[in-house]
Amino acid sequence: MNFFTKIFLFLSVFWLFSIFEPNNKIFAQSTSQIKIDSLLQLLPNVADTLQVKICRDLSILYQRKNFKEAYHYARLSRQKAEKTQNYKLIGNSLDYLGSLYVQQGEFVEGLTYKLQALKLFEEKNYRSGLVSLHNNVGYTYYRQNDLIKALHHYRKALEIAENEKVKMEEETATYLLNIGEVLADMKLYDEAIIHEEKAIKISEKFNVVDNLGYCNGILGKIHRAKNNYPLAIQYLQKAIDIFKKLDQPDDMSEYLLHLARTYILQKDFQKARSTAQNALKTAEIAQAKEWIKESRNTLADIYTQLGDSPKALFYLRKYLSLKDSMMNEAVMKQSNNMHILYESEKKEAEIEILKDKSEIQQANIQNRNFWLFGSFIFLILISALLALYFYKNQEKAKANFILTQQKNEIEAQNKKIETQRDNLIQLNEEINQRNEEILSQRDAMAIQSKEIEDKNRDITSSIAYAERIQYALLPFEENIKTLFPQNFIIFQPRDIVSGDFYWIQEKEGKKIIVAIDCTGHGVPGAFMTMIADSVLNQIVLDKNITEADEILNQMHITIRNTLQQEHNLNRDGMDISLVVIDEKNHTLTFAGAHNPLVVFQHNQRTIIKGDMLAIGGFQMEHTRRFTAHTIDIHTPTTFYLFTDGFSDQFGGNEKKKFMIRRLYNTLSEIHHLALSTQKETLMQIFNDWKGDQKQIDDVLVMGFKIG
C-alpha cells in the first residue's frame, strides 16, 4: 500500500466518522468559550447600540479560534451600527473591520474601510475619533512601507491631539514616537531623535512605562545607524530593562537582538554571542517565532566571525528550517483565511436569496448543500495534502542545496582567514619596521610642533594687536556721552576682532550714528571695518555730506570703487543702519541698507525697515539709491540700531535662532527702563539664550534716548 493510498483511506475514515459520530459535547468549555456563550445569549435581548459592542466583542474573541465567525460578527457590528444612524458607532465599526483585514495582510481592503471611517469623522468633525483613525491609517501605511503617507497621518493625529491639550496630552507620546520611527526609517535621524525625546518627556510625566521602552529602543537603533555605538548600547539596554520589568519577553527579545547586532558592529563578538543567546532564550519563552528566527541567524553570523564553522552551520540550519516553516504557515494561514472570507460572503449572499422561499425548499437545499460542501471540502483536503507533500519535498531539496552552498562558503571563508592570518604576520613585521622609522621621525615632528606653536603665538599676538587698533578706531566713550548722555552700546565680537563696527560724529550741528555689519567676521571683517571707517570720514568729515540717504549712496559708490568690484569677482560689502539727528529742526532721519531702526514715542513702537540693498557687493541695477525716512522728535524719543548677530544666535531649549521678532518684543518690554538697566537685561537675555552654544556672529546693539 503506497503513501497516497494511505492518505486517501485515512481521510475517508475521518470524513465518515465526522459525519456519523454523535454530537456529544464532552470537552470542558474554555474561558473564552464561556464568554462567547454569555454574549450570544445576551445579544438578542439588548438595544441596538449595545448589540454593536457585543458583536465587536464576539469578533475579537473569535479571532484566534474561528476567523470566519470573527469576520461575520465584525460585519454584523457594522450593519447594526448603520441601523442606529450613530456616526461614532458606524465609524468605529468600519475602523475595526479594516483592522481585521490588515491583520490578515489585506492592506488594500483594510485601508478602504478605514478611509471610509476617516471621511465620516471629518464630515462630522469628530476630533477624538479622527486622532485614533489617523494613527491607525498611518500604521497601515507603515506596514506597507509607504513612509510618506504614514508620516502624513501620524502628524495629523499629533496635530489634533496637541490642539486638545487638556484631554489628549498623554496620547501625544504615542504619536510622537510613531513619527520618530518613520523619520528614522527615512534616515532623518536628528528629527527622529527630537520626536523620541519629546515622547519620553510626556511618557515620564504620565508614567506610560511601555512607551518609554519603545522610545529608548528606537533611539538605540537610530544611534547605531549613526555609528554612535556606545550611546546606542546605552539606549537599547534601557529598553531591555524596562521590558524585563514589565514582563514583556517578546519586546525584550527584539531589543536584545538589536543589542547583539550593535556588538557585532563593534567587533565585540564575545558580548554579541552572549547577548544573542539571551535573545534566543527570551524569544523561546515568549514563543516569538520572528525573533527566534532572527536570533538563530545572528548567532550563525557571530560563529562565522569567530571561526567556529560547526556551530555556525548548526544555527544556519536551524534558521533556515524555521524560516521555511514560518513561510509555509503564513501561506497556509492566508490561503485558509481568504477561503473563509469568500465562503462567509457567499453564505451570507445565499441567505439573503433564500429568505423568501418556503421552509421545505430551504431544508432540501441545505441538505443537498451539506453533502456537496462535505464532498467539496474532502476533495480540497486531498488536493491540498498532495500539493503540500510535493511542495515540502521541493523546499527540502532547495534547503539542502542552500546548506551545501553555505557550507562551501564557510570553508572558503576559513581558507581566506588562514591566508589573511599569514598576511597579518607579514604585515606585523612591516609594522615593526615602520615603528622604528616613526620613532626616528617623532623627534623631527617634535621640533616642527615647537615651530608651529611659536608661529601660532606670533599670529595670536598679531591679532591681539589688531584688536587694539580696531578699538582705537571706535568713538571714545567720553565723546559719545557728550553727544548722547543717555545711551548704551553692546559690542561683543565673535573672535578677537570684529566685522561689526559703529561710528558716531557731529558735523555742522547734526549728530550722525552708524551701525555697520561688514561681510565676514574675525580678521577679514576687521579689514572691512577699517575701510568703512575711512570712507565715512571721507564722506562726512571731508565732503560735508550729512543727508542720511546720500551718505549711503556715496558709501556704496566708494566701496565698489575701492574694492574694484566692477573688474573682479570681489563681492564683499556691508549692511548699515544710519541715523542723522537735527536738534535744531527736531528731526531724526534714517536710512538703512538691509538693517532696520526701532523707535519708541509715547510707549508706541515704530519699526522702519531699511532698503533691501547692500553697500558694495553685486549690483544688477544701473543706479543704487537709498531711501530717507524722517521722524519728528519734539517729544522724548528712544531708538535702537543693531546688526543681525543678536537675532541670529542659536540657543534656547530647542537650539533655534533668537529671531528678529523676539528682539522687537524684548525692546518693547524694556524700553521704559534706564538705558544702563536695558543693557544689563539684554546681555543677560543673550547669555541665557546662548547657554553652552558657540557664538555664531559678532553682536552689536545700540540704544539712545533724546528729549
Side-chain angles (χ1 to χ4, degrees), residues 39 47 50 90 108 123 161 218 268 277 288 335 340 375 377 388-389 394 402 413 479-480 513 575 596 605 629 640 647:
L39 291 173
L50 190 54
I90 295 171
V108 175
E123 290 174 353
I218 294 168
D268 191 343
Q277 288 172 342
S335 174
I340 290 171
S375 301
I377 291 297
L388 181 62
Y389 173 75
Q394 290 177 350
I402 293 173
Q413 286 179 353
N479 294 341
I480 298 173
I513 309 165
D575 298 335
R605 183 181 73 191
H629 306 268
Y640 303 89
S647 58

Side-chain angles (χ1 to χ4, degrees), residues 266-448:
Q266 281 192 310
K267 307 298 183 183
D268 191 343
F269 298 112
Q270 298 299 330
K271 284 186 179 180
R273 178 177 60 184
S274 62
T275 305
Q277 288 172 342
N278 192 11
L280 177 59
K281 181 180 178 181
T282 307
E284 288 172 343
I285 293 172
Q287 296 183 350
K289 289 187 177 181
E290 178 65 22
W291 305 126
I292 293 173
K293 173 173 70 72
E294 292 303 321
S295 297
R296 290 175 177 176
N297 190 31
T298 301
L299 282 166
D301 291 341
I302 292 169
Y303 280 115
T304 300
Q305 295 292 334
L306 291 172
D308 192 340
S309 301
K311 286 189 177 180
L313 188 59
F314 169 78
Y315 280 108
L316 180 62
R317 286 173 175 169
K318 300 276 282 185
Y319 160 72
L320 291 172
S321 175
L322 183 56
K323 180 181 177 183
D324 292 341
S325 173
M326 290 174 65
M327 182 179 68
N328 292 340
E329 288 178 7
V331 171
M332 292 294 289
K333 182 177 179 181
Q334 187 173 12
S335 174
N336 189 40
N337 287 339
M338 291 305 99
H339 177 69
I340 290 171
L341 285 173
Y342 168 76
E343 287 298 320
S344 177
E345 291 176 350
K346 178 180 175 182
K347 183 177 178 181
E348 289 178 6
E350 289 174 353
I351 290 171
E352 292 296 325
I353 296 170
L354 292 172
K355 278 184 178 179
D356 296 331
K357 293 187 177 182
S358 67
E359 293 183 0
I360 296 174
Q361 289 175 324
Q362 186 176 13
N364 290 335
I365 292 171
Q366 287 179 343
N367 188 46
R368 184 182 63 188
N369 286 344
F370 171 77
W371 289 103
L372 288 174
F373 183 75
S375 301
F376 178 68
I377 291 297
F378 174 72
L379 292 174
I380 286 179
L381 285 171
I382 291 294
S383 302
L385 282 171
L386 291 174
L388 181 62
Y389 173 75
F390 284 112
Y391 174 77
K392 293 287 281 185
N393 279 342
Q394 290 177 350
E395 289 300 308
K396 185 176 180 181
K398 187 186 297 182
N400 288 334
F401 176 74
I402 293 173
L403 281 172
T404 302
Q405 281 188 322
Q406 292 288 344
K407 181 180 178 181
N408 294 336
E409 289 177 4
I410 291 171
E411 290 176 353
Q413 286 179 353
N414 287 337
K415 290 181 180 178
K416 186 177 180 181
I417 289 170
E418 290 177 1
T419 304
Q420 289 176 344
R421 183 183 62 187
D422 295 337
N423 292 338
L424 284 172
I425 293 172
Q426 183 180 354
L427 182 62
N428 188 48
E429 294 175 355
E430 294 176 0
I431 289 172
N432 290 333
Q433 184 179 355
R434 287 297 305 276
N435 284 340
E436 293 177 0
E437 296 174 359
I438 290 170
L439 288 174
S440 63
Q441 292 174 356
R442 186 176 60 183
D443 296 336
M445 290 177 65
I447 296 172
Q448 290 178 352

Side-chain angles (χ1 to χ4, degrees), residues 408-589:
N408 294 336
E409 289 177 4
I410 291 171
E411 290 176 353
Q413 286 179 353
N414 287 337
K415 290 181 180 178
K416 186 177 180 181
I417 289 170
E418 290 177 1
T419 304
Q420 289 176 344
R421 183 183 62 187
D422 295 337
N423 292 338
L424 284 172
I425 293 172
Q426 183 180 354
L427 182 62
N428 188 48
E429 294 175 355
E430 294 176 0
I431 289 172
N432 290 333
Q433 184 179 355
R434 287 297 305 276
N435 284 340
E436 293 177 0
E437 296 174 359
I438 290 170
L439 288 174
S440 63
Q441 292 174 356
R442 186 176 60 183
D443 296 336
M445 290 177 65
I447 296 172
Q448 290 178 352
S449 177
K450 180 66 168 57
E451 292 175 353
I452 291 171
E453 288 178 2
D454 293 341
K455 289 180 180 178
N456 286 340
R457 192 180 301 110
D458 293 341
I459 292 170
T460 303
S461 299
S462 298
I463 296 175
Y465 188 76
E467 178 189 15
R468 291 196 295 272
I469 295 174
Q470 185 176 53
Y471 272 92
L473 293 176
L474 295 173
F476 292 123
E477 186 175 347
E478 294 78 8
N479 294 341
I480 298 173
K481 285 185 178 180
T482 301
L483 295 174
F484 299 99
Q486 298 187 73
N487 78 87
F488 75 80
I489 298 175
I490 297 173
F491 180 64
Q492 188 167 312
R494 193 196 80 165
D495 303 312
I496 298 174
V497 291
S498 173
D500 284 4
F501 184 67
Y502 59 95
W503 190 87
I504 301 174
Q505 287 288 349
E506 183 177 22
K507 183 68 175 179
E508 297 181 353
K510 295 181 180 179
K511 299 174 181 178
I512 302 168
I513 309 165
V514 187
I516 306 174
D517 182 0
C518 296
T519 301
H521 38 71
V523 174
F527 273 114
M528 287 297 294
T529 64
M530 296 177 67
I531 294 173
D533 179 73
S534 174
V535 170
L536 280 168
N537 288 332
Q538 178 185 351
I539 293 170
V540 177
L541 301 182
D542 296 343
K543 295 183 178 181
N544 298 324
I545 297 173
T546 57
E547 292 79 14
D549 54 336
E550 188 58 28
I551 292 173
L552 295 190
N553 294 335
Q554 292 298 318
M555 282 193 73
H556 174 68
I557 295 169
T558 305
I559 291 294
R560 282 183 58 80
N561 290 337
T562 301
L563 299 178
Q564 300 183 22
Q565 292 180 338
E566 290 287 347
H567 309 292
N568 59 38
L569 297 177
N570 182 286
R571 293 294 180 262
D572 293 330
M574 56 196 71
D575 298 335
I576 294 180
S577 296
L578 186 147
V579 168
V580 177
I581 298 172
D582 187 345
E583 292 182 340
K584 180 179 179 181
N585 296 313
H586 298 284
T587 60
L588 181 155
T589 305

